[in-house]
Amino acid sequence: MRSILFQDKTIFWMGLCFLSLAIAALFLPNWIVNNVMFGLARGLAVLGLMLLWRTGLVSFGHALYFGIGAYGVALLEKYTGTTDIFLRLICAVIVSAIVGYLLGFILRGYRAIFFAMLSLAFSMVMYGILVKMEVLGSTDGFSVSRTTFFGWVPESKYALLLSLIIVCMASAAFVQVYLKSSLGQLSTAIKDNEIRVEYLGYSVARAVHVKYVISAIMAGLGGGLIAMALGQVDPDSMVNWTVSGELVFITIMSGAGSVVAPFIGGVVFAFLSTYASEFMPHAWQLVIGATLLGIIFFLPGGIWSLIEKLWKRGERHHG
Amino acid sequence: MQLFITILIDGLTYSSYLFIVSVGLTVIFGVMKILNIAHGSFFAWGAYGAAYSIGLAANAGFPAWFGFILILLSAILVGLVLGVIIERVILRKMYDQEEVVLVLATFGIFLILEDLILLVFGVNPFFAYQPMAYLGNIKLGGISRDVYSLTLLAAAAVIAIGCWYSLNKTKWGNILATVIFDREISLAIGINVQAVYTATFVLGTALGALGGAYIAPTVSVAPGFGIDIIILSFAVVVIGGLGSIPGAVIGALMVGILRAIAVHQMPELELFVVYAVMALVLIVRPEGLFAPAVARKI
Amino acid sequence: MDNSPILRVTDLHKSFSGIVAASNLNVDVAEGEIVGVIGANGAGKTVFINMITGYLKPSSGKIEFAGKDITGIEPRNATHMGVCRSFQVSQVFMTMSVLENMLIALSVSKDRGFSILQAYDRPELIAECEQIMARYNLSEFRDLEVSTLSQGVRKLLDIAMAIVSEPKVLLLDEPTSGVSSEDKFPIMDVVIGDLKKSGTSVLFVEHDMEIVERYVDRVLAFYQGEIICDAPPAEALKDPKVIEYVVGSDHDPKKPARKSTKKTARKPAKKSSGVRRA
């Protein structure tokens, strides 16, 4: 396990990219920093979806965990007054892990459209509860206070961005180690041939379950962090099915080729939606929809496949 | 008693409306194996078409009953225009893709159609109360009801019987059954599968639009009209069994009546109940209550 | 010398909603024995194999492996205990290279518990895979994607993936079906030669009587769900019942058609689990 962590090229380059992002953010204007934060937080959820996508599973209800993470942070503050980043993150992880673990027992037996529909149903159950329950903030949701760091209340958003970068880096490294492991390879092989995996001596159900829980935790972390970045939570922008659809869209747009792809995709999406909704407020969904169709038709490997192509071309020129 | 009748009437009206919307979804899935998210937009386009044209007709001095013709016309028009374009231009190129990818493609179409509504009709809501006012109210078991909503029941029944009849008793139904059973064999025996697909998609689209057009006079038609309905119709068709028309009837009745009970008894559970039942059905009988069990292959 | 059989099947019976697929199956297989399973299509050969490896649960009867009851065991547990199989339609990872297929098979059989989080492409695993690939004539295809390879190579890979965990009993379901006739013997030479060396007991389903004659120690002939003959090949292939019901029907003109429908029904097996597995 350790050997993957220190020898893997992807992890090295990713570390370098995140480090330069952290330095660059010191000089970047606020609106860019904001978009980067939203993009990275969504990227975490997308990282989770990408894991499932590699097994051929599409969760059309991952907003469930996105929402659980976000509401976990908000309710933790409401009932205990806690605003500390570590407790918030731990809360988001634990709650989404528990829910993912429990639902995983059911979902691990489903494939294709039935997996998509059942995860959608679960997320809509949660949406139905949140929207109608006064105690849970109803359609208005809650506001989330500024995040503190062991009692220190930072002036700028930089501290939060830095934590976000660290969480993303750690999650991506973890996922990379997982994907390179026997279990990770096996789980990817499930998409190819389930019967063979079972006969090789590993439970397909368990492999899918493990993957599902990891992906739930990633989405929970993303949700918790976006709640902190936005300073509020509400059902329509965090749990409704359109959010799940948006996350799936970013997954397809990013491509499943690398653990870095979800973050690139997330940030691209954040800028795309900001620009589109600014310059054509009535047509930005149109842009998104057309992009989705375009990618399905012309770029099935997503943005990452483009980057890979450029990278290879660059290598050829140098070599 | 009063409450019971209210719940029953509310439930049945709501069920009828859900059925009209969902039956198009289930027909498209049954034949083409596409779980069509864009169906929500067809619904919204139907509603906008009806509300807009009824408003125009009322201003031009047409009689109120003319609204019913407009409702039907907008459904047919949406079916023909959107249905043909989307099937021919986009979906036709994707039939060899996985089901899940097709769902994503229809999500893309959904997003595009949603914004096209904004571009064409603007952000202000439309009201087209004329047909509803024209039919007036009626007392049922001591409760005043608008007649218009009650006609929904009749419309749903006509559609259900019509679908059942054309699928089971006509030549067209036989052809459809063959295509559903095996696409390759159908091609081999000379069925024009492409044409069947286009016709099915147009029919499904028109039914979705009809649901929207029919409901338009009872509500204010505003942006985002199709967002909730699509997931509700997913619940309906999943509960009944994807691709099954009797299933859509049962699913619509269950969702409609459960929701009516929740609205009157425990409003905070209104949405929860519907989706909890959907999840439960998927857990216990994933192929839906009414779909024939598929034999295990190997 | 230990005479107890490695695999013992007692009174095994299977029916699908009233239709009997297998009945009164009693078989002992000794360590290192090579057993050929013959019979027309639908005679119950694959049902027999599927029951032993846990894909189907028998309606009644008992399967013992090395003295332990393994009736109705999950396929993966059968694999753990040392009962492995190959498939009529090769079950390999089509979108991966031969080496990747082998690495996944090997790493799964080696890594238990938390060690399953180790890298799957560790140098020592690669070395071991290369050794097995050399034994099974797969080395030249090492980095090619399986979907580009011939049926014969896929069959070999399928079997090579089944033996990485060094099973005690290996069941091969039609190892040469779909393989061109000039490849049949070389493939069987490689496979049976290797399995004999490791002392593995083998049961293999086969339609080609030449292959049966050349490689097996013993023949089990199936007809309508029952074993009608259990004898050494020279004897079995002369048995009038076997000639009438098995060897003769092998030339039945209907056979290819029936076989091909069977295969297309099988191909979507992976997809059919779309609804729900388990």
Side-chain angles (χ1 to χ4, degrees), chain A residues 182 192 194 196 198-199, chain C residues 76 79 95 111 158 270 277:
Chain A
S182 306
D192 203 319
E194 279 191 31
R196 173 48 95 181
E198 194 78 28
Y199 272 100
Chain C
R76 60 173 177 280
T79 305
T95 58
D111 297 336
D158 194 19
K270 190 185 72 181
R277 278 187 42 90

Side-chain angles (χ1 to χ4, degrees), chain B residues 3 22-23 54 78 84 90 109 112-113 133 138 144 149 152-154 161 185 203 205-206 208 211 225 259 282:
Chain B
L3 181 68
S22 313
V23 73
I54 289 172
V78 169
V84 170
I90 301 172
I109 300 170
I112 294 172
L113 290 179
I138 188 176
S144 178
S149 300
L152 266 175
L153 270 86
I161 294 168
I185 291 178
L203 175 73
T205 307
F225 200 50
R259 181 179 167 274
L282 275 171

